[in-house]
Amino acid sequence: MAPKRRHRRTEMEPNRRMVSDEPIEGNQTDEFDGHRRLPISPFTIFFVVLFLLASSFAVYWGSRSTRKAPSHQLSVYERGIVKTDVCYKEILIENARVMFNRSVRHFPNPVLAYITPWNSRGYEVAKEFTSKFTHISPVWYELKSQGKKLFLDGRDNADKRLVNDLSKNGNVLVLPRVVLEAFPADLLLNRKQWSKACNIILKECREMEYDGIVLESWSRWARYGVLHDPEMRKMLLLGGNNEGGLVSHAHMIFLGMNLYGNDFVLSEGSGGAIIGRDYLSLLEKHRPALRWDEKSAEHFFIYSHENLQHAVFYPSLKSISMRLDEARAWGASLSLWEIGQGLDYFYELL
C-alpha cells in the first residue's frame, strides 16, 4: 500500500477546510474558503468597468472644481495686469492669452473697427472677436473725379467672402470706407454732381450687400481749405452750431483710438509707426524697463540702436482702459485704427 501524501502544512486555520489534491469527479462544484465559485458573465464585467469609470470621473471633476481656473479663463482685470507698473516679460507672456468667452461686451456704446487689405491680421481679428464690434469698416474705396466724371475705385479690394463670414458671426454691420477724393467744391456746390456721387455709392452697396458706408472727407478736404470757408463748413456740420453743449452731441462722436505705436529717434525728432509684432520684437530684443507717462497716459521705453536713442510709445492695457473710461463718461463711441495692429488681449477690454 502506497504511503499517504504529505501536505506542506500540517496545521490549518480553524475556519479553513482541507483542499484535496485529487481531481473533482462528476458535476461537483469547486469550493474554496467555504464559498462557491460562480461563473462571471460579460455583462457583470461591463457594469463593473462602467462603475469604476463613473467613479473616476466624479473624483476628477470634484478635484477639478477646487483648482484655480487656468489663466486664459481669467480676465485681464482678474489677472491683475491692467496697471501702470508693467514689466516687458508680462506683456510677452500675457498678450496672446485671451479669456475663453470672447463674445461678452464690456463697452456699452458702438465700436467701429477699421481693417485694411494690406494687413491680413485685421481680417483674422475681425472674425475672432466679431462680437466685440458693432461696426467693421474695411478700407476699400475711393470716390474720384476725372473732369466732370465721377467714379468709384476699389472694387478689386472688396472681399465678399469676408462680408458673408462677418454677417454669420454676429450682428456686426459691415460698412466699407469711402474716401472722397473728388474736388469738394464740385460735390458740395453742385447738387447734380452730389446726386451722381450718391447714386454711385448706393449702387455699390446694393450689389455687394453692404450695410452702409463710412464716408471720409476731412483729411482730404482740409487741404482744400473747406474747414476755413464759413459757408462750406456750415454745409458739412449739422448747421455748424453747438446747441445743447458738447455732452448732448457726444453720442454722435466716435472717439478715435490708435492701436499702433510710434518709434521716435530722439536726436532727430523723427519717427515711424510700429504695430504689434514689431513692438513684441523690440521687447524681446532689448528687454527694456517700461515707464508710465502721466501727461499722455501711455507707456513708453528707451532703447539704443546704432548709437541712436529711441523712444517707443505703444498702447497698453492701462492706456486703453483709461480712454474707455473717458468715452463712457461722455457717452461717446469708439473708432479703432486698426484692429490688425493691436495685441490680442486689447480686445478683451471692449
Side-chain angles (χ1 to χ4, degrees), residues 104-250:
V104 177
R105 289 192 66 217
H106 305 292
F107 186 78
N109 303 331
V111 177
L112 169 67
Y114 286 100
I115 54 177
T116 59
W118 53 83
N119 189 344
S120 60
R121 179 55 187 155
Y123 287 49
E124 296 169 2
V125 171
K127 294 176 183 178
E128 292 175 24
F129 300 93
T130 307
S131 298
K132 294 289 187 177
F133 315 115
T134 57
H135 304 75
I136 291 181
S137 184
V139 178
W140 286 342
Y141 293 100
E142 294 177 337
L143 183 70
K144 298 181 177 180
S145 59
Q146 189 172 16
K148 294 295 183 181
K149 182 182 179 182
L150 295 173
F151 63 97
L152 194 62
D153 188 25
R155 171 67 78 91
D156 294 340
N157 294 323
D159 188 340
K160 189 67 179 292
R161 181 182 298 178
L162 175 68
V163 177
N164 293 333
D165 289 344
L166 293 176
S167 299
K168 294 176 183 176
N169 284 357
N171 298 320
V172 68
L173 301 179
V174 181
L175 309 92
R177 187 188 75 166
V178 178
V179 177
L180 297 182
E181 291 280 5
F183 189 64
D186 290 341
L187 293 177
L188 295 176
L189 302 179
N190 189 324
R191 187 179 295 273
K192 188 176 181 181
Q193 283 291 89
W194 182 245
S195 179
K196 286 182 181 179
C198 291
N199 290 333
I200 291 172
I201 294 172
L202 288 173
K203 181 175 181 292
E204 186 72 6
C205 289
R206 293 191 189 100
E207 291 180 1
M208 298 296 289
E209 299 181 332
Y210 299 140
D211 297 300
I213 64 164
V214 173
L215 192 64
E216 181 176 314
S217 60
W218 299 111
S219 59
R220 303 302 196 273
W221 288 6
R223 294 181 303 187
Y224 294 106
V226 170
L227 302 182
H228 301 291
D229 186 304
E231 290 300 318
M232 297 182 80
R233 182 183 178 88
K234 185 176 181 180
M235 293 174 66
L236 292 171
L237 299 174
L238 301 164
N241 56 35
N242 187 31
E243 295 179 4
L246 292 175
V247 176
S248 65
H249 289 78

Side-chain angles (χ1 to χ4, degrees), residues 16-138:
R16 281 187 176 271
R17 293 178 55 189
M18 187 71 72
V19 180
S20 173
D21 290 331
E22 298 296 330
I24 299 173
E25 295 181 358
N27 294 329
Q28 188 176 355
T29 306
D30 289 347
E31 292 183 357
F32 183 71
D33 290 347
H35 298 284
R36 291 178 180 272
R37 288 185 176 178
L38 299 177
I40 300 176
S41 69
F43 290 103
T44 303
I45 296 174
F46 171 77
F47 284 113
V48 169
V49 172
L50 187 63
F51 175 79
L52 292 175
L53 286 174
S55 301
S56 300
F57 273 109
V59 172
Y60 169 74
W61 286 109
S63 61
R64 187 174 184 269
S65 63
T66 60
R67 296 176 192 167
K68 185 177 180 180
S71 62
H72 70 278
Q73 293 183 3
L74 299 175
S75 72
V76 289
Y77 291 104
E78 292 170 325
R79 300 204 299 272
I81 55 178
V82 184
K83 56 186 181 180
T84 57
D85 58 333
V86 66
C87 172
Y88 81 91
K89 288 183 180 179
E90 210 167 53
I91 297 174
L92 292 176
I93 293 172
E94 300 287 350
N95 79 88
R97 294 182 180 177
V98 181
M99 194 166 61
F100 181 75
N101 190 345
R102 304 183 179 192
S103 61
V104 177
R105 289 192 66 217
H106 305 292
F107 186 78
N109 303 331
V111 177
L112 169 67
Y114 286 100
I115 54 177
T116 59
W118 53 83
N119 189 344
S120 60
R121 179 55 187 155
Y123 287 49
E124 296 169 2
V125 171
K127 294 176 183 178
E128 292 175 24
F129 300 93
T130 307
S131 298
K132 294 289 187 177
F133 315 115
T134 57
H135 304 75
I136 291 181
S137 184

Side-chain angles (χ1 to χ4, degrees), residues 300-340:
F300 74 99
F301 65 85
I302 306 293
Y303 76 94
S304 296
H305 179 66
E306 296 181 350
N307 296 322
L308 293 175
Q309 291 283 98
H310 290 246
V312 174
F313 286 80
Y314 188 81
S316 64
L317 289 172
K318 184 63 176 178
S319 70
I320 293 175
S321 178
M322 291 182 67
R323 285 156 176 78
L324 294 182
D325 289 342
E326 190 70 17
R328 284 191 192 94
W330 283 88
S333 303
L334 295 179
S335 173
L336 307 177
W337 184 278
E338 51 148 320
I339 56 176

